Amino acid sequence: MNWLDLVGWAGSAVLVWSLLQSRILRLRALNLVGCLVLIGYNAAIEVWPMVGLNIVLTVINLWYLRGMLATRHDEKTYQVVEVGVGDQFLAHTLRVHAADIARFNPDFRWDPDTSGRSAFLVVTADEVVGVVLSHAEARGVAQIDLDYVTPKFRDFTPGEFVYRRSHLFTERGFRQVVSPPRMVAPYYHRLGFRPEGDSYVLDLPTTPAADPA
């Protein structure tokens, strides 16, 4: 086997590996890499139909990647829906993803019967991409119990849309939002939270801010 064959096998392996990804952004990026490698390989051995196929797949991947990256912070693409803490669809979502939730939020405990709790679903069209649950602590603190993203959207941070809309908390009299303690792979430093112990804290404005247009 010469080095050119190794390139072809490597490109095929990356292409197969991409299809095993649950994260949609990672799937597209790896698939793009595999296609680019196979374009070079098939051009070198002059298999032009395969060159054409991989060029088309490259264009498709670039199109979807551009769309995903352009809308990852877009509130028209990702919307926040407040639901009741006892909502049956919320309970179903928590059950379906219970094992994955425990992996990233080992301290998570949810009792919908406790007063002062709030629940938000982050959705795109009719698909749930994230869940944010919180409860009221003393001195105007909103403690986040769960900030979870479904595996398909794990390369995004849909919880940011809840925190962008500070009125979701200020209208309830909160002055601060505190992230879940010991959360695995937190992203709050990118949203203006400051580290404090094993959590992150967001100081809220004293008056509700208007939603961004």
Side-chain angles (χ1 to χ4, degrees):
M1 181 181 296
N2 58 36
W3 68 269
L4 193 56
D5 290 331
L6 289 175
V7 170
W9 281 109
S12 297
V14 172
L15 208 61
V16 171
W17 187 31
S18 73
L19 298 176
L20 298 175
Q21 304 303 308
S22 59
R23 302 184 184 189
I24 187 169
L25 183 63
R26 186 174 297 182
L27 184 155
R28 288 291 179 185
L30 287 172
N31 200 274
L32 174 62
V33 171
C35 289
L36 291 173
V37 172
L38 290 175
I39 287 173
Y41 170 73
N42 285 295
I45 63 174
E46 300 183 349
V47 182
W48 304 115
M50 295 304 296
V51 171
L53 171 62
N54 282 284
I55 288 175
V56 171
L57 293 177
T58 295
V59 172
I60 292 172
N61 282 315
L62 287 171
W63 174 267
Y64 278 102
L65 281 168
R66 177 184 175 278
M68 285 185 281
L69 293 174
T71 60
R72 66 188 308 175
H73 303 295
D74 180 15
E75 290 201 16
K76 293 181 180 179
T77 302
Y78 299 95
Q79 299 180 335
V80 179
V81 178
E82 185 171 7
V83 298
V85 295
D87 183 83
Q88 291 300 306
F89 183 72
L90 171 63
H92 169 75
T93 302
L94 296 177
R95 282 195 302 271
V96 168
H97 298 284
D100 198 42
I101 287 173
R103 183 172 152 225
F104 289 93
N105 298 266
D107 293 336
F108 173 64
R109 301 291 183 274
W110 179 248
D111 181 2
D113 295 327
T114 303
S115 61
R117 295 193 179 273
S118 300
F120 305 97
L121 297 178
V122 183
V123 301
T124 179
D126 60 351
E127 183 174 7
V128 175
V129 302
V131 181
V132 175
L133 306 175
S134 69
H135 73 271
E137 292 279 1
R139 299 182 300 280
V141 174
Q143 174 64 60
I144 303 300
D145 297 295
L146 177 66
D147 185 341
Y148 175 71
V149 182
T150 58
K152 182 178 177 181
F153 295 89
R154 191 64 47 76
D155 291 317
F156 303 89
T157 55
E160 72 175 279
F161 298 103
V162 176
Y163 309 122
R164 271 192 200 173
R165 297 185 174 188
S166 60
H167 71 83
L168 294 173
F169 297 101
T170 54
E171 287 177 352
R172 292 168 169 81
F174 293 117
R175 297 181 298 104
Q176 288 184 331
V177 178
V178 180
S179 71
R182 299 197 311 118
M183 179 179 172
V184 177
Y187 63 96
Y188 298 100
H189 58 284
R190 303 204 298 267
L191 302 180
F193 284 67
R194 54 182 169 80
E196 188 172 291
D198 59 357
S199 299
Y200 289 80
V201 176
L202 175 66
D203 296 310
L204 298 172
T206 55
T207 57
D211 281 349

